[in-house]
Amino acid sequence: MKESTLQSWEVLKNQELFVAAPWIKLSVQQVRLPNGRLVDDYYQITLPEYTMIFAQTTNGKVIVEWLYKHGVGRVSLVLPAGLIENGEDPLAAAQRELLEETGYTSADWRLLGRFVVHGNYGCGRAHLFTARNAQRVAEPDSGDLEDTEIVLMKLEDIVEAVSNGEVALLSSIAAIALATNPSFVPWCVSDAQHP
Amino acid sequence: MKESTLQSWEVLKNQELFVAAPWIKLSVQQVRLPNGRLVDDYYQITLPEYTMIFAQTTNGKVIVEWLYKHGVGRVSLVLPAGLIENGEDPLAAAQRELLEETGYTSADWRLLGRFVVHGNYGCGRAHLFTARNAQRVAEPDSGDLEDTEIVLMKLEDIVEAVSNGEVALLSSIAAIALATNPSFVPWCVSDAQHP
């Protein structure tokens, strides 16, 4: 980690304003900045951690989903994702979600990274994974509120969908852009290798 | 946009639970799913829209910042970013923020995309931009709460920082991974071109 003169803020008080466990907790904090300044009303939003998976089949197609997400307010193209259950290992959660949502399993999982969703308020963490050589072993049965259309797409078609604004979620674009970026993930299976 | 049989949810009731304008609004909605099922308590979180900028100097270095973000809870490496003020054009907001936070301007701006921060709850939208051939014209003067160390980094050093977990924010990794991904942004200035 960075050696730095930069300091953390100190939380002097923390008051819960609203709790709907296990979904949302809204708190207000009194914090002291490194320069001594007090801020009386800095909000923090606690949301469940979740996983998202950039999964590719044995022939390099990416497993994506069309669905309506209420936070987005329209149908868009997303990667398989789901909440991490209480005490669950993030990788185990990702493997469970991929199987439940899409019916696919993989023996080749890697962590792309874990990222805080919102810099000011927190809003949980996203654990992004890749799964290679995924194979379909079951019917999808997510139990989620959303109806879903599962599609296998070539990377070039995903790029076109992104340019058309059809990938609307920050977590989906982050996982897609990271998993297909040769600077970050040299192991990505490109379409060029699997026509 | 996708032609699909997938339908939006219908909002039957909307009740504001907490408002701290212009920062946060928490609402609870009664929604009707396409299959007719009613959900009485689906939460929505309204947060300000913001911009984030992947800016490169004339010699290809990326303008990054070390700072403590309270949502992250530690010092991490982020891209310049800031809230869009009421009625402000997102590009104008990005140009203003880059100048205020870093002292740099650019004549070559492009939109990487606009993305909803959280699929279930919303949590605002991130407008991601690139700025090429940025030149320093002023001293930084952000007026933000956070102390900041501005650094010019080569892409290979950012890749190392990512692998070390020093890029902790979902929006920062999304913008970095998109802006440096040849599948998505062929115009990116790589270090290879500017040693």
Side-chain angles (χ1 to χ4, degrees):
Chain A
M1 288 294 138
K2 164 83 170 163
E3 304 233 0
S4 169
T5 58
L6 297 167
Q7 293 172 47
S8 300
W9 296 1
E10 188 181 358
V11 178
L12 303 180
K13 293 181 194 166
N14 184 77
Q15 181 191 355
E16 292 183 358
L17 296 174
F18 179 81
V19 180
W23 310 112
I24 290 182
K25 185 172 72 179
L26 172 65
S27 306
V28 62
Q29 298 183 338
Q30 185 191 52
V31 296
R32 180 157 54 206
L33 311 189
N35 65 6
R37 176 175 165 188
L38 293 182
V39 176
D40 288 329
D41 55 352
Y42 206 91
Y43 298 95
Q44 290 293 278
I45 301 169
T46 307
L47 300 176
E49 306 216 346
Y50 64 94
T51 66
M52 180 164 274
I53 306 113
F54 182 88
Q56 290 178 290
T57 62
T58 47
N59 64 356
K61 298 280 184 64
V62 185
I63 305 169
V64 298
E65 302 174 3
W66 289 102
L67 84 171
Y68 172 86
K69 292 294 287 180
H70 197 49
V72 175
R74 63 176 171 88
V75 173
S76 69
L77 194 68
V78 304
L79 298 183
L83 302 186
I84 299 173
E85 294 179 357
N86 196 16
E88 191 176 25
D89 174 70
L91 173 58
Q95 293 170 332
R96 175 181 56 73
E97 284 289 346
L98 185 67
L99 179 60
E100 289 175 0
E101 284 197 2
T102 72
Y104 280 82
T105 60
S106 165
D108 183 354
W109 287 81
R110 302 197 196 201
L111 177 68
L112 285 169
R114 312 169 194 271
F115 302 99
V116 174
V117 172
H118 198 286
N120 293 345
Y121 304 119
C123 299
R125 278 202 308 174
H127 300 247
L128 310 182
F129 289 92
T130 59
R132 285 178 68 185
N133 295 316
Q135 294 186 294
R136 185 154 180 186
V137 297
E139 287 293 313
D141 181 18
S142 75
D144 290 342
L145 294 178
E146 294 90 353
D147 295 331
T148 301
E149 284 180 20
I150 298 164
V151 188
L152 302 183
M153 283 179 78
K154 291 191 213 172
L155 178 57
E156 65 197 63
D157 295 330
I158 293 180
V159 170
E160 187 180 347
V162 170
S163 70
N164 291 337
E166 293 175 317
V167 175
L169 263 185
L170 187 61
S171 48
S172 284
I173 196 64
I176 291 168
L178 255 185
T180 64
N181 190 319
S183 297
F184 289 93
V185 184
W187 67 77
C188 177
V189 180
S190 75
D191 287 326
Q193 293 168 268
H194 295 270
Chain B
M1 286 291 139
K2 162 86 171 161
E3 303 233 2
S4 170
T5 58
L6 298 167
Q7 293 171 46
S8 299
W9 296 1
E10 188 181 356
V11 178
L12 303 180
K13 294 181 193 166
N14 184 78
Q15 180 190 355
E16 291 184 358
L17 295 174
F18 179 81
V19 180
W23 310 112
I24 290 182
K25 184 171 73 178
L26 172 65
S27 305
V28 62
Q29 298 183 337
Q30 185 191 50
V31 295
R32 180 158 52 205
L33 310 190
N35 64 6
R37 176 175 165 188
L38 294 182
V39 177
D40 288 328
D41 55 352
Y42 205 91
Y43 298 95
Q44 291 292 279
I45 302 169
T46 307
L47 301 177
E49 306 216 346
Y50 64 94
T51 66
M52 180 163 276
I53 306 113
F54 183 87
Q56 291 179 289
T57 61
T58 48
N59 65 357
K61 298 278 184 66
V62 185
I63 304 170
V64 297
E65 302 174 1
W66 289 103
L67 84 171
Y68 172 87
K69 293 293 289 180
H70 197 48
V72 176
R74 63 175 172 87
V75 173
S76 69
L77 194 67
V78 304
L79 298 183
L83 302 187
I84 299 173
E85 294 178 357
N86 196 15
E88 191 175 25
D89 174 70
L91 173 58
Q95 293 170 332
R96 175 181 57 71
E97 283 290 346
L98 184 67
L99 180 59
E100 289 176 1
E101 283 196 4
T102 72
Y104 280 83
T105 61
S106 164
D108 184 355
W109 287 82
R110 302 195 195 202
L111 178 68
L112 285 170
R114 313 169 193 273
F115 302 99
V116 174
V117 173
H118 198 286
N120 293 344
Y121 305 118
C123 298
R125 277 202 310 174
H127 301 245
L128 309 182
F129 289 92
T130 58
R132 286 178 68 186
N133 296 316
Q135 294 186 294
R136 185 155 181 185
V137 297
E139 288 293 313
D141 181 18
S142 75
D144 291 342
L145 294 176
E146 294 91 353
D147 296 331
T148 301
E149 284 180 21
I150 297 163
V151 188
L152 303 182
M153 283 178 79
K154 291 191 211 172
L155 178 57
E156 64 196 63
D157 294 331
I158 292 180
V159 170
E160 186 180 346
V162 170
S163 70
N164 290 337
E166 292 174 318
V167 175
L169 262 186
L170 188 61
S171 48
S172 285
I173 196 65
I176 291 168
L178 256 186
T180 64
N181 189 320
S183 296
F184 289 93
V185 184
W187 67 79
C188 176
V189 180
S190 74
D191 287 326
Q193 294 167 268
H194 296 270

